């Protein structure tokens, strides 16, 4: 139950920017755009904190469930992301939880890909590249690894200068 409730709050945090009004507080956002942005940031943070509390409880109840590690990692990945919580101080937590998720389920390509993103967000680019390449080695048909590497290249200004990191095209593996 806690796992699903915690994930629901994470999804609710992601929905704040597209909501016409604050569903949790049942009121409209301010008509002033600057004030509305502040209100949305405050609401997003409240939902992230609620998700963190619930997912932590879920993890404490079942320490060996990979989903709990992965969902904590995903929470902190979103919290770190500029389009999410925009809090880079959460990047080490994303790495910690995603590392533990891959330790519990080392054959899951998606988890390794997400670990790669966590590393990149934590300025551990070489570790990020290695994790994404490991993801690709686990499942050549997993389509996210080349996309992730391409996005990193683009974000670093290399998209026009040549192929993505690792030399793969964005369509590789599809």
């Amino acid at each position: 139950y806690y796992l699903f409730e915690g994930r629901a709050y994470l999804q609710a945090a992601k929905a704040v920017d597209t909501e016409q009004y604050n569903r949790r507080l049942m009121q409209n956002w301010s008509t002033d755009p600057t004030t509305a942005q502040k209100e949305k940031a405050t609401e997003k943070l409240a939902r992230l904190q609620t998700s963190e509390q619930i997912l932590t409880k879920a993890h404490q109840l079942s320490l060996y469930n990979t989903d709990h590690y992965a969902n904590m990692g995903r929470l902190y990945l979103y919290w770190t992301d500029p389009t999410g919580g925009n809090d880079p101080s959460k990047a080490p937590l994303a790495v910690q939880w995603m590392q533990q998720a891959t330790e519990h389920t080392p054959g899951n390509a998606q988890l390794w890909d997400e670990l790669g993103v966590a590393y990149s967000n934590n300025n551990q680019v070489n570790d990020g590249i290695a994790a994404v390449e490991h993801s690709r080695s686990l499942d050549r048909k997993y389509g996210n690894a080349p996309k992730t590497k391409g996005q990193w290249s683009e974000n670093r200004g290399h998209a026009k200068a040549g192929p993505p990191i690792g030399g793969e095209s964005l369509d590789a593996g599809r």
Side-chain angles (χ1 to χ4, degrees), residues 105-110 112 133-141:
T105 308
N108 185 316
Q110 179 181 343
W112 281 95
E133 287 176 351
H134 183 68
S135 167
R136 185 95 167 109
S137 75
L138 290 171
D139 185 350
R140 302 290 298 163
K141 294 183 181 187

Side-chain angles (χ1 to χ4, degrees), residues 150-171:
Q151 287 172 334
W152 288 348
S153 292
E154 184 176 340
N155 291 343
R156 287 178 174 64
H158 299 295
K160 295 176 186 164
I165 298 168
E168 295 179 5
S169 75
L170 293 177
D171 294 324

Side-chain angles (χ1 to χ4, degrees), residues 1-4 7 55-74 97 100-105 108 111:
Y1 168 79
Y2 292 115
L3 175 66
F4 298 111
R7 288 195 324 209
L55 290 173
T56 298
K57 186 169 187 167
H59 169 70
Q60 290 168 345
L61 292 172
S62 181
L63 297 175
Y64 299 106
N65 187 334
T66 301
D67 287 339
H68 298 307
Y69 293 95
N71 283 307
M72 290 296 290
R74 291 175 186 130
W97 285 99
Q100 292 177 68
T102 59
E103 288 168 11
H104 280 82
T105 308
N108 185 316
L111 294 177

Side-chain angles (χ1 to χ4, degrees), residues 96-128:
Q96 172 193 330
W97 285 99
M98 293 313 299
Q99 282 176 330
Q100 292 177 68
T102 59
E103 288 168 11
H104 280 82
T105 308
N108 185 316
Q110 179 181 343
L111 294 177
W112 281 95
D113 191 66
E114 291 171 307
L115 175 59
V117 174
Y119 278 136
S120 179
N121 289 349
N122 199 39
N123 295 316
Q124 296 173 264
V125 178
N126 291 336
D127 291 331

